[in-house]
Amino acid sequence: MEGSVLVIGGGIAGIQTSLDLTELGFKVYLVERNPSIGGRMAQLDKTFPTNDCSLCILAPKMVEVFRNPNIKLMTYHEVKKVSGEPGNFSAIILKKPRYVDETKCKGCGDCAIKCPKIEVPNLFDMKLGKRKSAYIPFPQAVPPIYLIDPELCLKINKGVCGVCAKVCQAEAIDFEQKPMEIELKVGAIVVATGFDIPAEKLTSRWGYRYNNVVSALEYERILCASGPFGGHVLRPSDQKEPEKIAFIQCAGSRDLHEGVPYCSSVCCMYTAKEAIITKEHSNRSQCFVFRHDIRAYGKNFYEFTQRAQKEYGVKYIQTKISKIEEDSETNDLIIHYENLKTGEFNDFQANLVVLATPLVPSNGTKILSNVLGIELDEYEFFKEIDYFNKSKSTKDGIYLCGFCQGPMDIPETVADASGVAGQIAAFLNSVKFEQIKEKQLEVPELETKDTDEPRIGVLICHCGINIGKYVHVPLLAEYVRTLPNVVHCEDNLYSCSSDSQSRIKELITNHHLNRFIVASCTPRTHEALFQETCQEVGLNKYLFEMVNIRDQCSWVHMDDAEAATQKAKDLIRMAIAKSRLLKPLREELLKITPTALIIGGGIAGMSAALNIANQGFKTFIVEKESILGGNLNYLNVLYPTEQNASDFLNQTIDLVEKNENIQVFLKGKINNIRGYVGNYVVTIADSNSKTQDLSIGTIIVATGGKEYKPKDLFQYNNQNKNVITQLELEQILKEKGKSWLTKINRITTVLCANARQLEGITYCSNICCGNSIKNISLLKKLKPELEIVVLYRDIQMAKKKYEEYYRERRKDAIFLRYDLENLLIIKQINKNPERYNIKFYDTNLQDFLEFETDLIILSTPIIPADNLEELAKMLKVPLDRNGFFLEAHVKLRPLDFATDGIFLCGCAQWPKNIQDSISQANGAAARASRFLSAKEITTSGIVAEVDPINCIGCGKCESICPYNAIDILESVKDFEDISLTVKKSFINSALCKGCGTCAATCPNGAISIKQYDFDQITAMIESYLLET
Amino acid sequence: MFCCNWCSYAGADLAGVSRFQYPPNMRIIRVMCSGRVDPVFVMKALKEGADGVLVTGCHIGDCHYISGNEYAKERFERLHKIVIKQLGINEKRVRLEWVSASEGKRFADLITEFTNQIKELGPLKVI
């Protein structure tokens, strides 16, 4: 077996899985056919639902890949041939010639500047911008290496020019480069090849051939500050600002005749995002969304689409589009459509049209499937061998992650990518760490003495337009240069990109800097990246300081540029004041207990436990009920596979029970959690209330969710036996079978029962539609003459197989649409047998309808499990406003808590189906076992320190320290003629977390907190108030 | 204004990400925990010309450092009782508030409300 993995595709999926794999002990070969990693996410302007700048959150990860000594980055390479067996694959990789020597190129760009002005459309800007023959795909590309386009280059084609070779100081241009084949031996393969947007394949109906009709990804580039129009929203035909912008949903999706039959799953959300950002760019613009169903599939996504309408005034119209045509004089577009609410046929004139076009498997998927010998599904996505483990391809040892397997958004992709890493770690467990090497700093740390004059460098970031639009950055830089000890200050577009990291290193070395400051975004996401950069040129990472002029200035004072700039000046000046007093700090190593605790024994908890246990670590499951399985115990049949839920559950329980590394506590309760990452002590009470302490290294929260019981709503109460919830129906179907339906002739299913409200439960639980549709067809099979009515608002079937599943079952029921403005009125008209009258407003018919029914099934939302507040407090992790657990970052850290060592998965995070719960569980297991695999972690240098001369041994600090890190020790001190016993405070720096409570408590000022020292904070206060 | 790293500073970030607008009058000093905030820092800020000081931390029970915010609270009550009142400084000028990582809106509202309150009180004259 080989302890290495081939990852194909360098988008966010490939990046995440590569990073996790190296931490789990595997060497990674990351092959990307394009010249840079980053994939589609690098092209996005912002990401929903937080509207974080996409490249800002992605760039640090790209840089991390670039620096990781255990990732061999192979961009501009392609996989040609794969042979061998699981555990021992052999792969032939083609290295395409860049005509630039990668080992010599410094990424300065002189070649591109001097390259003659023969240009072609730039693919990164979706052909809206241009590039030359010598180029880099985008400024923040990783690796930051240029290449030459052989089709365009005059030297390669005609033997003339060659100016790039003359200007390149590094002598990196090499016209003689030839394609090269490289053979790799790997244990496993990950396919993460993503998606394409072939808008040009759409038929004439959608008008894509017109200049001012763009695909959504083209529009992302138009919105982007580093895009073809510099972040000004302009339309392609005349580069004027469009006022009326129409966003067309499902353009060629969910369509059996043209385009694709499935739902691409992310378009509703990115459209809402693009409309919101358009409004932020220009308040004059008017955004219209021509919609179908709203499918906002993810955490708090539905509310985001509501915000677009309520807060930003984006108009949503429910329509069917018949044709889009161009007005040849104005280049405006005329949209012919049917308004589905009024039934009228209308024309709409727009200055720009943005199409939500189908997202399809990336070009070359078919060829790759042949190379790898794995199957595709009916939509030509890679096929999973088992529906409930979407990461496994049809061949052992080859895994799938991200969009190449089916439509999914970024958080799901990231969870999926971590999950694949976890499964590979279990598969290649016997050979982990065999091919891994430790990162060694090439440059020894430079000594910085307290007496050295501070030499400070400052880099100020524009963050595209995120900072630059509201804060006057050049003025700011000019001001900073006047401050004492500032040796150098400059500004740039993105401080987080890899070229900027090189620049920071250059500045530190060339100017002999002994302090460095970056003024950009939040240290919570970017501090580690910059600290590492400093370390690479020998500057102790604690001599770096960060100023947040985005979240605290540009983004919160958008209408007052002057005040935002002044505030930025103050904040940077304060940081400089602190920076002068910074000292280099040391870190220590801490051992990790190699055990994991899983809280919750549902399908998510069990899957996570199995993964960690299969990686060879002792794993404990605490389940509050007397059986494993959680909600699955109450389910009858699973959709869309229609397999028996009990069979599926029992298989998993069987694996858990047989696994030697897993110990289960049924009817277990967690009484107490003490300690910190790697060293928790968890007190568990078992079914006999006997308590025991477990030593735990890492914790996964998999507490699940539960169905909301709509007491006294919709006639749901103890008396009415024929008003039931979906989960109750599942149990009846499981236990009673056919006879139960004898007296029932008409059944009504109410979707969104008390979900997606204006108040109370405002969210969409995502999974109820699919579940209801499954049950419709089951009921129909039991009694074909049944009449079933479905009252719905939007049908939320946003996954790969769901659209088809829904389409096939639509005939089993009458689907009627209602809306929130006119609520259902349900009356009981007969007690025995029960019979109900339902009155509602049919939005398709534009009229009130009334009908009678024998049974009502309510699809109610999923809500968090009980008593989570107590658990959240013990774990010291937050809950969100709906009571689910709040992850560290909704986009790129969906399975982590901000607190090190604690992770989450399944419905504890958000309502989700079984497939996603298992994918997340594997992901959380991978994230958690990174710690267990590492065996030890480095502690922070930010700890408390006692000055023994000032310490009077009073013991106040000892009494308040939350980590018991302080001891009062007695020692004998010799004076001239007498020996006395003195008490002094002593701090165990391995246990100290640097909170600083002791320092603020010490009556004699004897304790200092490194990095947050008394003098440093005082200097900041003085700098703000006295130096203005 | 002092923000703890784990809750309040993250709350400020969320206010930023959500584009909640608030008055530009305050400057954040990041500390790891509200428990780090020595009353001397507050007094120093008032002495050097700040018209108000806001200290924020995690909600009681949520402290990243288990109980740092409880000590912050205790210390604050003492600071209010003994120092602020005896010096004749309006106690509204010095406040301790809890803002969690998910309370971006609350962060923005708090700054707005506190700034308005300080404006009403006018500049602080230190004798």
Side-chain angles (χ1 to χ4, degrees):
Chain A
M1 294 250 256
E2 294 286 339
S4 57
V5 181
L6 167 64
V7 177
I8 308 169
I12 182 61
I15 288 173
Q16 184 63 46
T17 208
S18 299
L19 290 171
D20 283 334
L21 277 167
T22 58
E23 285 193 79
L24 290 166
F26 302 95
K27 161 103 190 167
V28 170
Y29 299 95
L30 178 54
V31 173
E32 164 61 53
R33 67 178 171 188
N34 290 312
S36 171
I37 56 169
R40 295 293 177 198
M41 190 176 171
Q43 290 179 284
L44 304 181
D45 178 36
K46 306 260 165 78
T47 58
F48 59 77
T50 52
N51 288 0
D52 267 321
C53 153
S54 186
L55 198 60
C56 301
I57 55 177
L58 178 64
K61 287 204 183 251
M62 291 165 63
V63 174
E64 222 181 310
V65 165
F66 186 54
R67 290 173 171 200
N68 193 315
N70 294 307
I71 298 178
K72 168 92 177 136
L73 189 52
M74 303 169 87
T75 53
Y76 216 46
H77 285 57
E78 278 179 35
V79 180
K80 282 291 156 202
K81 205 176 151 195
V82 169
S83 56
E85 295 303 312
N88 288 296
F89 289 109
S90 168
I92 306 285
I93 314 292
L94 177 76
K95 177 182 183 294
K96 299 183 272 188
R98 279 180 182 258
Y99 303 104
V100 171
D101 185 336
E102 297 85 344
T103 58
K104 290 182 182 165
C105 176
K106 296 279 176 288
C108 70
D110 285 349
C111 53
I113 294 166
K114 287 285 170 351
C115 181
K117 207 175 164 58
I118 305 167
E119 294 180 325
V120 288
N122 178 354
L123 281 181
F124 184 79
D125 280 336
M126 299 304 288
K127 299 189 179 171
L128 290 167
K130 294 228 156 111
R131 67 156 170 85
K132 293 181 179 171
S133 163
Y135 73 104
I136 193 161
F138 54 104
Q140 303 80 16
V142 169
I145 297 172
Y146 280 72
L147 69 158
I148 291 168
D149 181 343
E151 281 173 30
L152 208 60
C153 176
L154 293 174
K155 177 79 181 171
I156 294 171
N157 282 302
K158 297 180 180 158
V160 293
C161 189
V163 66
C164 50
K166 287 178 203 132
V167 297
C168 179
Q169 299 283 312
E171 297 180 345
I173 309 289
D174 177 5
F175 293 112
E176 302 305 315
Q177 268 190 5
K178 296 275 175 292
M180 220 166 79
E181 284 192 348
I182 302 162
E183 191 179 353
L184 301 176
K185 301 267 180 219
V186 294
I189 298 172
V190 180
V191 185
T193 48
F195 63 89
D196 261 346
I197 307 108
E200 65 282 358
K201 283 194 183 157
L202 286 182
T203 56
S204 57
R205 176 179 156 202
W206 302 105
Y208 183 71
R209 65 184 182 281
Y210 304 121
N211 245 336
N212 291 331
V213 178
V214 297
S215 76
L217 197 57
E218 289 164 31
Y219 194 60
E220 290 281 340
R221 296 312 302 152
I222 291 176
L223 288 172
C224 187
S226 53
F229 306 139
H232 297 288
V233 182
L234 304 175
R235 62 179 198 167
S237 73
D238 49 12
Q239 313 222 338
K240 280 189 182 146
E241 205 175 289
E243 265 184 43
K244 278 163 86 182
I245 303 170
F247 294 87
I248 313 288
Q249 303 299 276
C250 305
S253 296
R254 305 178 57 191
D255 195 325
L256 290 176
H257 306 293
E258 55 179 323
V260 301
Y262 56 84
C263 161
S264 296
S265 160
V266 292
C267 325
C268 284
M269 282 303 286
Y270 71 59
T271 295
K273 170 197 74 180
E274 287 175 354
I276 286 176
I277 297 166
T278 305
K279 294 292 273 187
E280 277 179 0
H281 270 273
S282 160
N283 216 5
R284 279 188 306 132
S285 63
Q286 300 168 37
C287 295
F288 299 84
V289 178
F290 290 74
R291 77 172 181 96
H292 219 124
D293 289 317
I294 291 187
R295 291 185 172 173
Y297 200 90
K299 185 167 183 168
N300 296 328
F301 284 6
Y302 175 72
E303 288 105 312
F304 185 78
T305 63
Q306 296 304 297
R307 236 180 90 202
Q309 296 170 61
K310 283 182 201 132
E311 284 178 33
Y312 290 86
V314 177
K315 298 242 169 10
Y316 276 65
I317 319 164
Q318 207 178 314
T319 59
K320 207 164 201 166
I321 309 284
S322 52
K323 206 175 172 92
I324 297 172
E325 285 178 315
E326 188 186 49
D327 175 340
S328 56
E329 262 177 44
T330 58
N331 294 119
D332 284 351
L333 291 313
I334 317 290
I335 303 166
H336 305 289
Y337 71 98
E338 180 191 354
N339 185 326
L340 292 180
K341 273 212 157 180
T342 61
E344 287 168 14
F345 288 89
N346 287 328
D347 286 348
F348 181 92
Q349 184 158 2
N351 305 123
L352 180 71
V353 167
V354 182
L355 298 178
T357 56
L359 306 181
V360 305
S362 71
N363 179 22
T365 294
K366 222 171 192 169
I367 299 169
L368 187 61
S369 78
N370 287 332
V371 167
L372 296 170
I374 58 177
E375 289 172 36
L376 301 178
D377 66 15
E378 63 269 41
Y379 313 121
E380 298 194 345
F381 287 109
F382 286 103
K383 186 177 178 178
E384 66 281 351
I385 192 151
D386 167 11
Y387 181 80
F388 291 108
N389 186 348
K390 62 183 173 185
S391 315
K392 283 187 148 178
S393 78
T394 51
K395 193 174 191 172
D396 262 1
I398 302 183
Y399 297 80
L400 313 170
C401 77
F403 216 114
C404 74
Q405 191 272 336
M408 61 182 77
D409 63 2
I410 294 169
E412 193 182 332
T413 300
V414 171
D416 210 21
S418 292
V420 164
Q423 296 197 50
I424 290 175
F427 172 56
L428 297 177
N429 189 35
S430 61
V431 287
K432 67 180 170 191
F433 289 105
E434 279 191 2
Q435 296 185 27
I436 281 280
K437 57 176 179 223
E438 289 300 310
K439 182 163 186 173
Q440 302 257 315
L441 288 178
E442 284 162 21
V443 182
E445 193 170 304
L446 303 166
E447 197 187 347
T448 310
K449 292 195 212 93
D450 291 356
T451 48
D452 289 351
E453 180 78 4
R455 295 181 59 82
I456 305 174
V458 183
L459 183 62
I460 307 175
C461 180
H462 286 256
C463 194
I465 57 162
N466 285 305
I467 293 170
K469 190 175 174 190
Y470 310 100
V471 169
H472 200 301
V473 175
L475 267 184
L476 198 56
E478 206 172 291
Y479 168 77
V480 170
R481 283 185 204 111
T482 66
L483 298 172
N485 300 108
V486 174
V487 176
H488 184 85
C489 173
E490 65 182 40
D491 53 282
N492 71 353
L493 195 59
Y494 292 110
S495 298
C496 52
S497 63
S498 69
D499 56 325
S500 296
Q501 304 318 300
S502 312
R503 180 67 186 152
I504 292 172
K505 288 194 263 188
E506 213 172 274
L507 291 175
I508 293 173
T509 311
N510 293 352
H511 295 279
H512 306 290
L513 303 175
N514 55 20
R515 307 281 192 286
F516 203 84
I517 293 174
V518 174
S520 56
C521 54
T522 173
R524 292 172 59 248
T525 54
H526 283 67
E527 191 172 51
L529 166 74
F530 295 123
Q531 284 182 331
E532 206 180 305
T533 303
C534 291
Q535 260 176 324
E536 283 176 12
V537 276
L539 186 65
N540 184 285
K541 73 182 209 189
Y542 296 97
L543 295 171
F544 171 79
E545 187 67 18
M546 206 167 161
V547 191
N548 188 346
I549 58 169
R550 192 187 68 185
D551 302 80
Q552 288 173 27
C553 297
S554 64
W555 275 356
V556 291
H557 311 308
M558 290 164 102
D559 46 9
D560 193 345
E562 203 179 311
T565 307
Q566 181 55 45
K567 188 172 173 186
K569 280 184 185 174
D570 290 347
L571 290 174
I572 298 176
R573 190 179 66 247
M574 289 158 76
I576 290 169
K578 179 180 176 186
S579 174
R580 291 186 192 112
L581 301 171
L582 289 176
K583 288 177 181 159
L585 304 178
R586 305 273 150 252
E587 299 178 334
E588 285 180 43
L589 287 174
L590 202 65
K591 287 253 175 296
I592 301 271
T593 312
T595 57
L597 171 70
I598 319 287
I599 306 174
I603 190 66
M606 287 193 291
S607 304
L610 281 168
N611 185 298
I612 296 179
N614 289 336
Q615 290 186 52
F617 303 109
K618 180 84 191 160
T619 308
F620 302 94
I621 299 178
V622 180
E623 166 59 48
K624 64 180 177 185
E625 303 293 338
S626 56
I627 44 167
L628 286 170
N631 286 319
L632 250 175
N633 284 303
Y634 310 108
L635 296 184
N636 172 39
V637 164
L638 309 177
Y639 71 92
T641 58
E642 307 223 325
Q643 67 195 104
N644 182 296
S646 304
D647 293 350
F648 176 78
L649 175 58
N650 290 336
Q651 280 167 18
T652 312
I653 292 179
D654 200 42
L655 289 175
V656 168
E657 285 174 347
K658 282 190 183 140
N659 195 307
E660 287 176 354
N661 282 336
I662 301 180
Q663 187 182 343
V664 181
F665 293 88
L666 292 174
K667 284 187 132 179
K669 188 175 180 298
I670 294 174
N671 282 352
N672 192 15
I673 299 172
R674 278 162 292 150
Y676 43 87
V677 54
N679 298 277
Y680 291 101
V681 177
V682 181
T683 310
I684 292 181
D686 63 14
S687 51
N688 305 317
S689 299
K690 247 176 55 197
T691 61
Q692 88 179 82
D693 281 353
L694 301 176
S695 295
I696 298 293
T698 174
I699 299 173
I700 295 179
V701 178
T703 46
K706 62 173 195 178
E707 186 188 50
Y708 173 78
K709 303 288 180 197
K711 206 169 175 301
D712 296 328
L713 296 167
F714 310 99
Q715 296 286 343
Y716 180 86
N717 56 41
N718 288 338
Q719 285 86 47
N720 297 343
K721 301 290 177 227
N722 279 5
V723 182
I724 57 175
T725 64
Q726 284 291 348
L727 204 60
E728 288 158 5
L729 172 70
E730 295 272 342
Q731 266 169 298
I732 294 171
L733 288 173
K734 200 170 171 174
E735 288 158 13
K736 293 193 181 163
K738 205 170 168 175
S739 60
W740 162 71
L741 286 169
T742 330
K743 287 185 184 161
I744 289 169
N745 296 315
R746 186 184 280 162
I747 295 177
T748 303
T749 292
V750 179
L751 294 179
C752 302
N754 211 37
R756 308 205 303 169
Q757 304 287 303
L758 294 175
E759 304 270 316
I761 297 176
T762 52
Y763 59 85
C764 161
S765 301
N766 295 169
I767 60 175
C768 340
C769 286
N771 200 33
S772 310
I773 288 166
K774 168 196 74 184
N775 283 334
I776 293 165
S777 80
L778 289 180
L779 287 165
K780 200 78 180 172
K781 268 183 208 149
L782 285 176
K783 186 173 173 183
E785 63 273 30
L786 265 181
E787 254 184 50
I788 304 176
V789 180
V790 178
L791 296 176
Y792 75 103
R793 283 168 57 195
D794 288 295
I795 294 287
Q796 186 69 258
M797 297 294 271
K799 303 286 246 169
K800 183 163 89 171
K801 295 218 161 76
Y802 288 10
E803 184 71 35
E804 189 190 341
Y805 188 77
Y806 163 52
R807 194 180 296 119
E808 282 169 2
R809 280 155 189 78
R810 223 185 134 97
K811 63 174 185 337
D812 290 338
I814 303 161
F815 283 76
L816 301 171
R817 197 193 280 258
Y818 73 102
D819 64 15
L820 205 51
E821 284 130 50
N822 298 286
L823 283 180
L824 311 175
I825 300 165
I826 303 178
K827 281 186 190 143
Q828 193 175 53
I829 47 173
N830 197 32
K831 265 215 148 95
N832 196 9
E834 283 179 37
R835 203 160 167 79
Y836 297 88
N837 175 287
I838 299 179
K839 188 176 175 189
F840 80 105
Y841 186 79
D842 185 317
T843 61
N844 291 335
L845 284 178
Q846 294 285 302
D847 207 351
F848 286 95
L849 281 187
E850 225 173 308
F851 65 93
E852 291 180 10
T853 188
D854 304 313
L855 178 77
I856 297 174
I857 306 164
L858 301 168
S859 267
T860 57
I862 307 293
I863 56 172
D866 296 329
N867 302 325
L868 292 187
E869 290 86 0
E870 203 185 324
L871 181 63
K873 279 213 164 117
M874 275 196 267
L875 290 165
K876 308 200 177 308
V877 297
L879 297 173
D880 67 21
R881 65 171 184 273
N882 296 313
F884 294 98
F885 282 99
L886 180 63
E887 60 273 37
H889 190 278
V890 296
K891 214 73 191 173
L892 292 187
R893 290 180 70 194
L895 309 173
D896 302 7
F897 282 110
T899 310
D900 267 355
I902 309 180
F903 305 87
L904 77 167
C905 62
C907 293
Q909 185 247 1
W910 185 247
K912 57 179 63 68
N913 60 37
I914 294 164
Q915 189 193 49
D916 289 346
S917 290
I918 293 174
S919 161
Q920 275 206 343
N922 282 320
R927 300 291 294 163
S929 41
R930 291 175 310 140
F931 283 100
L932 307 180
S933 302
K935 296 192 179 84
E936 54 188 18
I937 47 166
T938 313
T939 63
S940 167
I942 303 173
V943 289
E945 192 177 52
V946 180
D947 171 9
I949 296 172
N950 279 330
C951 175
I952 53 169
C954 70
K956 274 196 177 158
C957 52
E958 185 192 24
S959 69
I960 56 131
C961 177
Y963 300 97
N964 298 321
I966 306 181
D967 294 308
I968 301 294
L969 301 179
E970 291 186 352
S971 62
V972 177
K973 196 162 183 193
D974 296 324
F975 294 89
E976 270 174 23
D977 48 358
I978 189 170
S979 289
L980 284 177
T981 307
V982 291
K983 288 181 176 178
K984 294 285 174 196
S985 170
F986 173 81
I987 292 171
N988 178 348
S989 57
L991 293 177
C992 175
K993 296 265 142 192
C995 67
T997 305
C998 54
T1001 306
C1002 178
N1004 224 25
I1007 301 180
S1008 60
I1009 299 297
K1010 294 173 180 175
Q1011 203 80 355
Y1012 295 91
D1013 204 1
F1014 189 88
D1015 292 345
Q1016 292 164 356
I1017 295 176
T1018 311
M1020 289 179 88
I1021 297 170
E1022 285 178 350
S1023 162
Y1024 169 42
L1025 296 163
L1026 300 179
E1027 291 171 21
T1028 30
Chain B
M1 161 168 201
F2 295 92
C3 284
C4 81
N5 184 54
W6 304 94
C7 293
S8 315
Y9 194 90
D13 282 351
L14 185 59
V17 170
S18 316
R19 315 293 195 278
F20 295 134
Q21 306 293 301
Y22 54 80
N25 304 55
M26 63 90 196
R27 306 288 178 266
I28 291 177
I29 293 180
R30 180 167 70 121
V31 289
M32 295 314 274
C33 178
S34 55
R36 170 68 188 108
V37 182
D38 194 321
V40 176
F41 296 152
V42 179
M43 299 310 294
K44 173 86 187 165
L46 293 173
K47 176 174 166 275
E48 306 300 1
D51 299 317
V53 179
L54 188 56
V55 178
T56 53
C58 308
H59 287 272
I60 292 291
D62 292 354
C63 177
H64 184 81
Y65 300 104
I66 305 172
S67 51
N69 54 0
E70 289 168 26
Y71 295 110
K73 188 168 171 246
E74 241 177 73
R75 219 173 287 140
F76 234 76
E77 281 161 6
R78 239 176 300 138
L79 176 74
H80 258 157
K81 241 184 244 161
I82 302 165
V83 188
I84 307 282
K85 276 194 187 159
Q86 284 184 4
L87 287 176
I89 296 170
N90 191 321
E91 61 177 1
K92 286 180 186 162
R93 290 186 188 274
V94 180
R95 257 164 71 178
L96 175 67
E97 292 280 351
W98 313 129
V99 179
S100 82
S102 58
E103 293 177 329
K105 183 88 183 89
R106 184 176 140 68
F107 184 90
D109 290 347
L110 176 66
I111 305 300
T112 309
E113 184 245 331
F114 186 67
T115 310
N116 290 341
Q117 193 174 61
I118 298 298
K119 275 185 185 161
E120 238 169 67
L121 293 171
L124 171 67
K125 293 184 190 81
V126 183
I127 311 146

